[in-house]
Amino acid sequence: MKLSKYIDHTMLKADAQRDKIVKLCEEAKEYDFKTVCVNPSYITLCKELLKGSDVGVCTVIGFPLGQMTTEAKVFETKDALSKGADEIDMVLNIAQLKDGNLSYITNEIAEVKKACGSHCLKVIIETCLLSDDEKVNACKCIIDAKADFVKTSTGFSTAGATFADVKLLKDTVKDRCFVKAAGGVRSHDDFLKMIELGADRIGTSSGIKLIEE
């Protein structure tokens, strides 16, 4: 697979105005990235701007804290898909995970996956807030709920993806789901290292730099 297709070209800041999203889509087409990853309010715009290309539209659900109800996340997912989203990145309920309520986590992911149907679902576990045991438990819930990816980070917490976390997640899920590394991947060497350790997708706002280097 060509390196550009590992990248979800990302713009999720609250002050990302229309001109920045237009530029994001132009760059994604030029560099042939896998998707643009944007907040839900920009799905329709991105779908129009990317028409005729093979760049998909990824959006975020329950973002960035994951503390919405399951019902709210399901509604958000259905709404996003109705507007043209191709992939969904949802934040799981981190507090429920840390409390050990794994049945809640598995059920919530399963409900969102049901809403996704054949669309790709990535589950953000926010690794910087979790112990290694909690990361492993999150992966098991994701596998049991039949989601497509475990994703390291929102990029809005205390840290992003680390080499150690990507290796741990890949060693845990093996070939039962994919791994997305997000947050803090800003050099070409880091990009290649993440892929070597098992990342199947990279979420970054530095995609052009990663390719051009």
Side-chain angles (χ1 to χ4, degrees), residues 61 73-74 77-78 80-81 85-90 109-122 146-148:
I61 299 298
K73 290 177 183 177
V74 168
T77 299
K78 290 179 178 177
L81 294 172
D86 300 295
E87 299 187 0
I88 299 293
D89 287 18
M90 68 162 280
I109 298 168
E111 287 297 311
V112 174
K113 179 58 185 173
K114 181 179 176 182
C116 283
S118 61
H119 293 273
C120 179
L121 173 62
K122 310 185 201 88
K146 296 181 169 44
D148 302 281

Side-chain angles (χ1 to χ4, degrees), residues 163-212:
F163 296 143
D165 281 337
V166 169
K167 184 178 187 307
L168 174 64
L169 299 184
K170 191 63 178 182
D171 287 347
T172 302
V173 302
K174 296 184 170 55
D175 61 353
R176 294 173 291 179
C177 75
F178 300 108
V179 175
K180 177 175 174 179
V185 185
R186 297 194 179 94
S187 76
H188 187 70
D189 287 345
D190 286 354
F191 177 42
L192 294 180
K193 182 70 171 178
M194 289 294 188
I195 294 170
E196 179 187 332
L197 290 170
D200 303 282
R201 194 79 64 86
I202 306 291
T204 180
S205 58
S206 304
I208 293 172
K209 179 184 176 185
L210 299 187
I211 296 300
E212 288 190 341

Side-chain angles (χ1 to χ4, degrees), residues 83-194:
K83 289 175 169 57
D86 300 295
E87 299 187 0
I88 299 293
D89 287 18
M90 68 162 280
V91 186
L92 60 67
N93 191 312
I94 298 158
Q96 292 282 356
L97 176 66
K98 294 186 76 66
D99 280 339
N101 195 350
L102 303 186
S103 60
Y104 181 100
I105 297 299
T106 302
N107 178 71
E108 179 171 89
I109 298 168
E111 287 297 311
V112 174
K113 179 58 185 173
K114 181 179 176 182
C116 283
S118 61
H119 293 273
C120 179
L121 173 62
K122 310 185 201 88
V123 182
I124 305 169
I125 67 173
E126 205 71 281
T127 49
C128 62
L129 302 181
L130 306 178
S131 68
D132 283 355
D133 285 345
E134 288 166 341
K135 294 166 196 172
V136 169
N137 284 337
C139 287
K140 290 176 180 176
C141 292
I142 289 165
I143 292 164
D144 288 345
K146 296 181 169 44
D148 302 281
F149 276 79
V150 54
K151 177 179 172 181
T152 60
S153 322
T154 61
F156 284 74
S157 191
T158 57
T162 67
F163 296 143
D165 281 337
V166 169
K167 184 178 187 307
L168 174 64
L169 299 184
K170 191 63 178 182
D171 287 347
T172 302
V173 302
K174 296 184 170 55
D175 61 353
R176 294 173 291 179
C177 75
F178 300 108
V179 175
K180 177 175 174 179
V185 185
R186 297 194 179 94
S187 76
H188 187 70
D189 287 345
D190 286 354
F191 177 42
L192 294 180
K193 182 70 171 178
M194 289 294 188

